[in-house]
Amino acid sequence: MNQFTLSTDLITSDILPVILQSKVARQTYLDKRVTKSQRGTKRTRSQRARERLQTKEHLVGLARELHEGELADKLDRCHSRLSVLTCGRHIARIIPNFTCEFRLCPDCGRRRSRKLQTKYLPLMKAFMLHNKVTPVHLVLTQAHRKESRKESIARIRNSFTKLTRRSFWKQYFKGGTWSLESAKDKNGLHHTHLHIIGFRRKFFDIELLRDEWLAVTGDSHVLHLKPILDLAAGLQEVVKYVSKPLDIRRFGAADLKEFLGLKNMRMFGTFGEFRDFCKGFEPSDNDDAMSELESLARDLVEGCACPQCNAPLFDLRLSKSELPQFYEQIESSPPGKVRRSSH
Ligand SMILES: [Zn+2]
Ligand SMILES: [Zn+2]
C-alpha cells in the first residue's frame, strides 16, 4: 500500500452522476459548430477511460520523439497502477500510484477540473445570491489568422481584457470565469475560443455585444450566448476545457514542442468583481471545501458499505489497461437491488 500516494484521489465523477443527475443545460442559441470539437456523442465511462489511455500513449510517444525522456517516463507512470475501492458494481474511490501533474495529462486534468468545480461552485452560488446576478455561458471566437498557438491565445486574451474594460461590458456583467479552448482547423490555422461564465446584471441585446466584440477585435463578431439553467452542469461544461484545452489526440511532435514552449499558459481564470470575491479562497483538499459526498468517500475503507448499494467495499488493484475493462464489466452487469441501510 505504501507505494500509493494517499492524496485520496476522489474520482467523484464516478459516483456523483447518480447523486447529482445534473442534466446538461438546454442548448438555446449556441451555435453547435463552436464546440463540436469537444462535444461529441455521450460516451460510456469505459470508452472515456480507454480514450484517456490512448491520449496518454500518444503523448508518451510524442515526448519520446522529442527526446523528452523524463516527461515520457512521468506520463507513463502516472495512474499506471490503481487502488480501486469498489463493491463490484460501483466505484467509491480510486487512488493512483502517482500523478504526473503535466498540464496535458488527461488523468491529471480530470483531477484539476474536479478541484475547480469543488472550489468554484459554492463561490458562484454565494456570489449570485449576494449580487442578484444570473449566469450565462458566453463563447467568444476570433477570426483565424496565420499565427502560432501562443499568438492566437494572446490575441483572444487581449481582446477579452479590452472588452471587460468597456462601459457596455461593465454595465451588464459583474464578473465571472474564463477558460481557453484551442484547436486547429483543417487548414492548420489555430482556432481559439474563450468560454466564459458571466454573471449578468440584466438582459441586453446580443447584437450590441457582438458590436462590442467586433470593436475590440477589429475583425471578429462571432460569439454565442446561452443562459445557464443548472449552475453545476454549466460549471462542469466550462471546466472540462481545463482538463482538455487542446486537441491533443491530433497533436504531432511539433505541437507538443510548441506547447512545452508555452510556459505558464493559464487555461482558466476569474475576472471582474467575481475575481475579488474569490480572493483568499485557494483550492483546498481539506474536508471543509469538499462536498459531503467527497468527504464521505474519503473516509471509506475496505469493509465499509458502498454509499450507493450498501454492499461491502473491497480493494481492487488494477493496472491502467485493466481500468477500462473493469468499467465495461460494471456497465454490462445487471443493476442489482439497492439495499436499504439497516438503520
Ligand atoms: Zn498525470
Ligand atoms: Zn455499490
Side-chain angles (χ1 to χ4, degrees), residues 153-171:
I153 289 169
R155 181 156 65 95
I156 202 164
R157 293 219 31 209
N158 286 338
S159 302
F160 180 58
T161 304
K162 283 186 200 157
L163 181 70
T164 58
R165 289 185 184 142
R166 291 173 75 93
S167 59
F168 174 87
W169 181 269
K170 288 182 183 160
Q171 193 185 337

Side-chain angles (χ1 to χ4, degrees), residues 270-284:
T270 50
F271 64 89
E273 287 179 39
F274 184 62
R275 185 192 191 128
D276 301 325
F277 189 80
C278 295
K279 276 190 184 137
F281 293 91
E282 284 308 310
S284 158

Side-chain angles (χ1 to χ4, degrees), residues 264-294:
N264 304 320
M265 184 181 81
R266 293 189 62 196
M267 310 280 194
F268 179 90
T270 50
F271 64 89
E273 287 179 39
F274 184 62
R275 185 192 191 128
D276 301 325
F277 189 80
C278 295
K279 276 190 184 137
F281 293 91
E282 284 308 310
S284 158
D285 275 334
N286 68 38
D287 283 2
D288 294 344
M290 286 205 284
S291 71
E292 210 179 312
L293 191 69
E294 278 184 313

